[in-house]
Amino acid sequence: MLQMNIYEEFAHWLDGLLENNDMPEETQAFCFNLYEESDEDHIYGIQIVAAGDFDPEDKEGDWACEEVWSSGEDIFTVDTSDEDDTGWAHAQDLFREMAEEYLRNGKYANILKDSRGVAIGFVDGELVIIK
């Protein structure tokens, strides 16, 4: 279930990135990279990259390594320590729900929607195509 207070912070973070950065012309797709920031504290982070390639059949996401733009160290974090489930799969579901909501209603969703694809997943893990 989407947690609106966290989503609003996420949307504000993503708005700032998309509003203030012109994406390179060679942008084909976007990938939300997930990170386990702190295993013992149950803190997870998300970064967005623009890729110059896209292959919807490549679940390992080699295409997402063709970065043409990145949010870099500007990472949005979520602390799941107060939730019943603090595992990485729950964190991925939480971030996926927020990314999908942004695609539906985000202020700059058109930038993401106009690409060939949008994916989400943990770095070194399988990607899930969400658009």
Side-chain angles (χ1 to χ4, degrees):
M1 181 175 185
L2 188 63
Q3 298 176 23
M4 288 308 291
N5 57 334
I6 297 173
Y7 170 74
E8 288 171 7
E9 291 176 28
F10 171 79
H12 179 72
W13 168 77
L14 197 50
D15 286 348
L17 292 171
L18 297 175
E19 175 183 47
N20 298 319
N21 291 286
D22 290 327
M23 291 301 137
E25 208 173 283
E26 59 270 24
T27 298
Q28 295 285 314
F30 292 91
C31 184
F32 288 99
N33 292 327
L34 305 180
Y35 299 91
E36 192 170 36
E37 294 287 312
S38 171
D39 181 32
E40 57 191 50
D41 294 329
H42 309 290
I43 297 174
Y44 298 90
I46 190 168
Q47 167 196 60
I48 185 170
V49 299
D53 193 12
F54 178 66
D55 180 357
E57 302 301 317
D58 176 14
K59 300 296 185 216
E60 293 182 18
D62 289 337
W63 62 266
C65 296
E66 300 295 323
E67 283 184 24
V68 295
W69 176 89
S70 169
S71 65
E73 296 298 313
D74 190 346
I75 295 173
F76 181 79
T77 59
V78 171
D79 180 346
T80 62
S81 62
D82 62 346
E83 297 188 27
D84 292 337
D85 186 349
T86 60
W88 68 267
H90 172 69
Q92 181 167 326
D93 289 344
L94 176 68
F95 281 121
R96 181 179 177 174
E97 286 176 358
M98 291 190 297
E100 289 173 339
E101 177 64 21
Y102 193 88
L103 281 169
R104 283 189 296 274
N105 297 307
K107 185 174 183 179
Y108 299 104
N110 63 310
I111 294 172
L112 302 175
K113 288 187 211 178
D114 289 346
S115 71
R116 290 182 52 214
V118 179
I120 190 168
F122 276 89
V123 175
D124 296 330
E126 285 192 15
L127 295 180
V128 176
I129 306 295
I130 58 175
K131 180 242 165 247

